[in-house]
Amino acid sequence: VQLQASGGGSVQPGGSLRLSCAASGFRLDYLAVGWFRQAPGKERERVACISSHDGSTYYADSVKGRFTISRGNAKNTVYLQMNNLKPMDTAVYYCASENLALQCGVYSEAEFGSWGQGTLVTVSS
């Protein structure tokens, strides 16, 4: 059972990146999946999540209208499309999954049990 985040890189402000979270050994479509990020010197924060039972999504206020979380056609992938990136988005991004009964936005980071390694996103001119 493993999650792997990928797709990070360096972009200029206003640019876009798409992060991928791929699972091996299990299917993600049965699970809630969240994207989290940790900037240097700051605590990890939840960026977005997508629920399993109804597909509802949650976004942090700082990324609403710019980021979109979605499930891929394959059963084991979730994406985070990030547009209009800002320097404040610079962070290591992690994906996590869990079997959650309610909409994912009501759960804390601690309730996501399976985590992948991070992928670094750097937004700088």
Side-chain angles (χ1 to χ4, degrees), residues 60-117:
D61 287 343
S62 58
V63 306
K64 280 181 181 176
R66 301 188 297 121
F67 290 12
T68 303
I69 188 170
S70 63
R71 295 186 184 273
N73 290 330
K75 306 288 187 187
N76 65 340
T77 307
V78 169
Y79 300 105
L80 184 68
Q81 177 67 42
M82 306 187 296
N83 297 328
N84 190 21
L85 282 161
K86 303 177 181 181
M88 61 170 282
D89 297 317
T90 295
V92 178
Y93 284 71
Y94 301 87
C95 63
S97 67
E98 187 56 70
N99 185 9
L100 303 174
L102 303 177
Q103 292 181 343
C104 63
V106 306
Y107 293 93
S108 69
E109 170 188 331
E111 294 171 290
F112 284 80
S114 298
W115 289 78
Q117 90 296 347

Side-chain angles (χ1 to χ4, degrees), residues 8-9 17 21-22 29 35 42 51 60 72 97 103 119:
L17 284 174
C21 178
D29 54 330
W35 281 98
K42 295 187 176 180
S51 303
S97 67
Q103 292 181 343
T119 185

